[in-house]
Amino acid sequence: EIVLTQSPGTLSLSPGDRATLSCRAGQTIGKNYLAWYQQKPGQAPRLLISGTSNRATDIPDRFSGSGSGTDFTLTISRLEPEDFAVYYCQQYDTSPLTFGQGTRLEIK
Amino acid sequence: QVQLVQSGAEVMKPGASVKLSCTASGYRFTTFLIHWVRQAPGQGLEWMGEIKPYGGATKFAEKYLGRMTMTRDTSTNTVYMELNSLRPEDTAMYYCARVHLFGYQDHWGQGTLVTVSS
């Protein structure tokens, strides 16, 4: 299975800052089939990005995704208070689908 | 709008079985796969398996082979997931999620908390 490693484990930033979250795969992810999800406490995950860089419906344009092969990035250009949450990457190229362990974005 | 509504929380004894439901609305039920994903307390997300509502074909993560069953009822737009031989480490939130045609989960249920305790 494809192992996804997210870094950092925790990111402490302030509203207005730029956040850069990394997701590294143990092998190449084909077709850029990499998604990002946001999860807030007590809530189900919410799709942010699919296909490495395609924002889901109603996701603000301060969220962007990039990368290819084994290295992928989620960038939040200017943090809003509601963006502090846990973020997961997921590959859906190869079965079994796998998730990274998550990055917790906390208020500094 | 697309909605997935899951059954309520369960408290189970070790060794028992639990059957969870996930009822879909707002789209053509048979068109999209459903995934089951679980999350142990304070932990990350783990894909468990999938069911194709059209025809009922299933696929499982290796660790759940033989212990997990998924079925569907197209008359009620509901999928079911049954997990057998429950252990305390099966305590988790269980989510169903609709799968976009390209393979990612685009809509999620609210989750069902299963607690396994003697």
Side-chain angles (χ1 to χ4, degrees), chain B residues 52-74:
Chain B
K52 186 180 292 187
Y54 182 80
T58 54
K59 183 188 291 186
F60 301 91
E62 190 171 335
K63 69 181 285 189
Y64 298 105
L65 279 171
R67 203 162 72 93
M68 180 180 170
T69 305
M70 288 176 286
T71 57
R72 92 284 187 230
D73 183 344
T74 56

Side-chain angles (χ1 to χ4, degrees), chain B residues 31-54:
Chain B
T31 300
F32 297 88
L33 297 176
I34 294 288
H35 282 176
W36 288 91
V37 175
R38 82 176 189 181
Q39 186 171 38
Q43 302 301 307
L45 301 167
E46 178 188 19
W47 179 78
M48 300 177 70
E50 70 182 34
I51 183 167
K52 186 180 292 187
Y54 182 80

Side-chain angles (χ1 to χ4, degrees), chain A residues 34-45:
Chain A
L34 191 286
W36 289 92
Y37 298 87
Q38 177 193 67
Q39 188 178 33
K40 297 180 180 179
Q43 296 185 16

Side-chain angles (χ1 to χ4, degrees), chain A residues 37 39 44 88 90 92 97, chain B residues 35 39 45 95 102 104-105 109:
Chain A
Y37 298 87
Q39 188 178 33
Y88 295 94
Q90 179 209 45
Y92 51 98
L97 276 69
Chain B
H35 282 176
Q39 186 171 38
L45 301 167
Y95 294 102
F102 288 160
Y104 55 87
Q105 296 101 357

Side-chain angles (χ1 to χ4, degrees), chain A residues 20-34:
Chain A
T20 303
L21 287 67
S22 172
C23 176
R24 178 161 291 177
Q27 58 195 82
T28 296
I29 295 174
K31 303 184 284 294
N32 281 346
Y33 275 5
L34 191 286

Side-chain angles (χ1 to χ4, degrees), chain A residues 36-106:
Chain A
W36 289 92
Y37 298 87
Q38 177 193 67
Q39 188 178 33
K40 297 180 180 179
Q43 296 185 16
R46 176 174 74 143
L47 175 69
L48 295 177
I49 301 280
S50 64
T52 296
S53 60
N54 302 306
R55 275 189 305 277
T57 303
D58 295 331
I59 300 303
D61 61 7
R62 64 180 181 272
F63 291 89
S64 63
S66 62
S68 65
T70 60
D71 288 295
F72 299 86
T73 300
L74 174 69
T75 302
I76 311 172
S77 60
R78 195 168 56 251
L79 286 165
E80 298 287 343
E82 62 268 27
D83 298 337
F84 291 91
V86 179
Y87 292 84
Y88 295 94
C89 59
Q90 179 209 45
Q91 66 81 22
Y92 51 98
D93 174 47
T94 304
S95 186
L97 276 69
T98 49
F99 293 88
Q101 82 281 16
T103 290
R104 179 178 304 276
L105 179 55
E106 64 176 27

Side-chain angles (χ1 to χ4, degrees), chain B residues 1-7 20-36 51-54 71-80 95-99 106-110:
Chain B
Q1 74 282 20
V2 175
Q3 272 197 305
L4 298 171
V5 178
Q6 298 186 233
S7 48
L20 310 182
S21 69
C22 170
T23 300
S25 62
Y27 70 97
R28 187 170 183 174
F29 178 66
T30 52
T31 300
F32 297 88
L33 297 176
I34 294 288
H35 282 176
W36 288 91
I51 183 167
K52 186 180 292 187
Y54 182 80
T71 57
R72 92 284 187 230
D73 183 344
T74 56
S75 69
T76 60
N77 290 356
T78 300
V79 300
Y80 300 92
Y95 294 102
C96 64
R98 192 186 82 160
V99 182
D106 61 359
H107 294 274
W108 294 67
Q110 83 277 18

